Amino acid sequence: MFEEDGKAQLILELRQGGVTDRRVIDVMERIPRELFVPEALREQAYENIALPIGLHQTVSQPLTVGLMTQSLDLTDRMKVLEIGTGSGFQSSVLSPLCRRLYTIERYRELSQGAEKRFADLRLSNITTRVGDGSLGWREQAPFERIIVTAAAHDIPPFLVEQLSIGGIMVLPVNDGRDENDQRLLKVTKTEEGIETEELGTTRFVPLVEGDEP
Ligand code: SAH
């Protein structure tokens, strides 16, 4: 029962925090976040906080997931690239809102855990890969939308390259001024280059270049 109450409260917090898109709210209401956190933390699954998922990584705060998803303005015809699969929670929110999702994670263990959850939840339009997501996924490019769920120092150039014209990329950027103060950016690719809009400040684990240690 605590889960249902917690969920209703969380949905309220998402709305108050600015998640107004009905489709995003509907999906977040349906996805069981308790399946994406370690068993010992299940009671906190519907709190609006980031939670550890092992290997020093975290599943993002639900409000951040909601706002980033909403700012992608998805349709069910879009091909989407996600960098930083982690637990797979953000992927599970994106999956019902797009045509196909490609998601890259640096740690094999996390990628495999996420893949199992996608199968259990019958989310069949997600393809996973283990590797350095800052290089993108060249064979599948271009993507109409790209979401990065780890903070880079700059906008990764390969990802801009692999975004279609008119496409949107949402990502946290940590320009080094303050480790804990990252800017959430919405980048739109145009014929001439890119347009950047700042959505606010946020806090993500770092995007680490290179393969799994
Ligand atoms: N979206 C995730 C949250 C992920 S935390 C969720 O909903 O659970 C960020 C993830 O990015 C971590 O799992 C981390 O291992 C991964 N990561 C960091 N650098 C990366 C890189 N260069 N390529 C792919 N994944 C990366």
Side-chain angles (χ1 to χ4, degrees):
M1 195 56 210
F2 74 88
E3 255 164 32
E4 283 310 309
D5 291 349
K7 205 172 211 176
Q9 173 62 29
L10 177 61
I11 296 300
L12 191 67
E13 281 180 49
L14 295 180
R15 287 216 179 86
Q16 286 168 345
V19 185
T20 50
D21 187 329
R22 187 71 238 168
R23 295 168 310 155
V24 177
I25 291 283
D26 282 350
V27 173
M28 291 192 72
E29 216 160 7
R30 275 204 322 266
I31 305 289
R33 191 167 183 252
E34 69 272 16
L35 301 186
F36 294 83
V37 305
E39 240 173 286
L41 299 176
R42 286 215 168 142
E43 288 195 24
Q44 286 170 279
Y46 291 98
E47 288 178 29
N48 190 20
I49 51 175
L51 290 169
I53 54 171
L55 298 165
H56 305 292
Q57 307 304 324
T58 54
V59 52
S60 309
Q61 185 188 16
L63 179 59
T64 305
V65 171
L67 291 173
M68 286 177 85
T69 305
Q70 177 169 279
S71 61
L72 283 174
D73 199 14
L74 294 165
T75 75
D76 58 11
R77 292 202 301 274
M78 289 175 176
K79 191 169 162 181
V80 180
L81 174 67
E82 178 192 34
I83 312 303
T85 316
S87 68
F89 179 67
Q90 170 75 73
S91 326
S92 303
V93 173
L94 296 168
S95 157
L97 300 170
C98 69
R99 179 167 60 82
R100 185 117 224 128
L101 176 67
Y102 295 85
T103 182
I104 310 178
E105 168 56 52
R106 196 165 159 262
Y107 286 108
R108 182 169 303 277
E109 191 184 321
L110 293 178
S111 180
Q112 287 173 341
E115 208 167 33
K116 184 169 181 313
R117 294 180 186 109
F118 303 151
D120 290 348
L121 294 170
R122 298 186 204 289
L123 300 172
S124 55
N125 63 342
I126 306 178
T127 311
T128 62
R129 173 187 254 189
V130 177
D132 180 0
S134 62
L135 306 175
W137 194 320
R138 197 179 297 270
E139 302 83 336
Q140 293 299 340
F143 300 93
E144 278 99 27
R145 298 292 185 261
I146 299 179
I147 177 169
V148 186
T149 65
H153 282 296
D154 221 328
I155 302 171
F158 288 112
L159 299 186
V160 175
E161 223 169 79
Q162 294 176 27
L163 190 60
S164 22
I165 303 290
I168 297 172
M169 167 157 65
V170 177
L171 77 166
V173 169
N174 180 350
D175 52 22
R177 276 186 302 205
D178 179 349
E179 198 57 35
N180 294 323
D181 185 20
Q182 302 162 4
R183 293 177 302 142
L184 187 60
L185 302 182
K186 176 177 174 180
V187 172
T188 307
K189 185 164 166 178
T190 66
E191 295 278 2
E192 291 79 39
I194 56 169
E195 284 166 10
T196 305
E197 183 190 334
E198 205 171 312
L199 301 177
T201 57
T202 185
R203 208 172 160 177
F204 276 89
V205 298
L207 183 78
V208 182
E209 292 187 15
D211 287 330
E212 180 177 2

